[in-house]
Amino acid sequence: MECKASKLSKLKITSSKGYYLIVHIIEPDSFNSMEVAVVFGNEIISGLLGVSHKEVIRLSKEAGSDDILKKIIRQLHEKLLSSRANVELDLSLMVNDASGFPTPRVLHYLIQ
């Protein structure tokens, strides 16, 4: 399905599980499109950023600040909100978001 990210929420980066991000997507050409929250896991975000979560954590520790992390998050934010993509969701693997609502996991996210 073709989509566009409308907002990003709840990004976590842990050394053991990697990236976890909830993204709200919409159909880009629809005026009444309903937002759908989806989960971007470690592989998807690493692919979009071109850097692994372990490398981000290492660089942040070496720099002694969160500046590198903030820069990477800003790049991800700009990339997702400014582009259309084809997305494939796994509806059989639902993850509960912070409110306990089941959220589908993104299998593939290809920016057009």
Side-chain angles (χ1 to χ4, degrees):
M1 122 179 179
E2 188 176 347
C3 73
K4 182 170 175 50
S6 61
K7 72 179 178 182
L8 283 60
S9 60
K10 191 176 180 184
L11 171 67
K12 286 185 179 180
I13 301 176
T14 65
S15 58
S16 61
K17 294 185 180 180
Y19 298 108
Y20 174 92
L21 174 66
I22 295 180
V23 178
H24 298 261
I25 59 172
I26 57 171
E27 291 181 63
D29 296 324
S30 175
F31 292 108
N32 296 333
S33 181
M34 186 176 96
E35 267 187 356
V36 176
V38 298
V39 174
F40 280 54
N42 192 47
E43 288 181 18
I44 301 294
I45 296 178
S46 293
L48 289 170
L49 291 174
V51 63
S52 73
H53 68 285
K54 290 181 180 182
E55 185 69 11
V56 171
I57 291 169
R58 184 185 67 75
L59 291 171
S60 292
K61 283 182 181 177
E62 284 179 4
S65 73
D66 289 335
D67 290 343
I68 292 172
L69 180 58
K70 289 176 185 176
K71 180 181 177 183
I72 289 172
I73 291 169
R74 194 174 322 114
Q75 289 172 352
L76 178 64
H77 189 266
E78 290 172 6
K79 183 180 274 190
L80 288 175
L81 294 180
S82 66
S83 59
R84 291 176 177 223
N86 289 318
V87 66
E88 182 181 345
L89 304 175
D90 185 352
L91 299 178
S92 68
L93 182 60
M94 302 293 262
V95 178
N96 288 340
D97 66 8
S99 63
F101 190 77
T103 307
R105 188 170 187 92
V106 174
L107 290 177
H108 300 287
Y109 192 83
L110 181 62
I111 293 179
Q112 299 177 347

